[in-house]
């Protein structure tokens, strides 16, 4: 297996992207907050993170890779720090949320001026 013992992580503020499969199979990771200025979630970055219940994504994100959250069977909440319009222009790869809960909620929390 991959990083099955990882339950939480603090990402550095300077991080702007997560590479392909970076946290794939981290089945005990429960939540994550991506730092401001973050732009890209790689293909299969969180695939199989079955305990992940929420993620916070800054408005600076421009792409979410193919299968990024595939099989995140507990992912019920995406907190997006932008508007509905900003969310809609993010490039999202095929199956980016495949096999996630059908009642997933995307919260928009625009903090702009």
């Amino acid at each position: 297996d991959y990083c099955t013992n990882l339950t939480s992580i603090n990402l550095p503020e300077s991080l702007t992207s997560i590479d392909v499969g970076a946290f794939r199979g981290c089945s005990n990771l429960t939540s994550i907050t991506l730092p401001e200025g973050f732009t890209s979630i790689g293909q299969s970055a969180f695939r199989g993170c079955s305990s992940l219940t929420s993620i916070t994504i800054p408005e600076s994100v421009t792409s979410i890779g193919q299968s990024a959250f595939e099989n995140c069977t507990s992912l019920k909440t995406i907190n997006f720090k932008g508007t509905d319009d900003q969310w809609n222009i993010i490039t999202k790869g095929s199956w980016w949320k495949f096999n996630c809960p059908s009642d997933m909620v995307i919260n928009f929390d625009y903090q702009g001026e």
Side-chain angles (χ1 to χ4, degrees), residues 60-110:
S60 53
V61 166
T62 58
S63 67
I64 298 174
Q66 177 180 331
S67 302
F69 298 105
E70 183 174 336
N71 294 327
C72 291
T73 53
S74 299
L75 184 59
K76 294 218 174 214
T77 308
I78 293 177
N79 296 305
F80 180 64
K81 296 292 186 179
T83 65
D84 183 35
D85 288 340
Q86 288 171 313
W87 175 258
N88 289 331
I89 62 171
I90 294 172
T91 302
K92 298 172 191 81
S94 59
W95 298 344
W96 72 274
K97 61 175 185 168
F98 181 75
N99 203 27
C100 288
S102 59
D103 59 347
M104 176 193 288
V105 173
I106 300 174
N107 292 322
F108 300 101
D109 185 20
Y110 182 64

Side-chain angles (χ1 to χ4, degrees), residues 10-79:
N10 290 320
L11 299 173
E13 291 297 318
S14 59
L15 188 68
T16 59
S17 66
I18 293 177
D19 288 337
V20 173
F23 296 100
R24 183 177 177 173
C26 295
S27 57
N28 287 308
L29 183 65
T30 57
S31 69
I32 193 161
T33 298
L34 302 176
E36 292 299 321
F38 193 89
T39 59
S40 177
I41 300 171
Q43 178 179 331
S44 299
F46 296 99
R47 185 177 184 174
C49 292
S50 56
S51 296
L52 188 67
T53 59
S54 68
I55 185 166
T56 300
I57 299 175
E59 67 180 285
S60 53
V61 166
T62 58
S63 67
I64 298 174
Q66 177 180 331
S67 302
F69 298 105
E70 183 174 336
N71 294 327
C72 291
T73 53
S74 299
L75 184 59
K76 294 218 174 214
T77 308
I78 293 177
N79 296 305

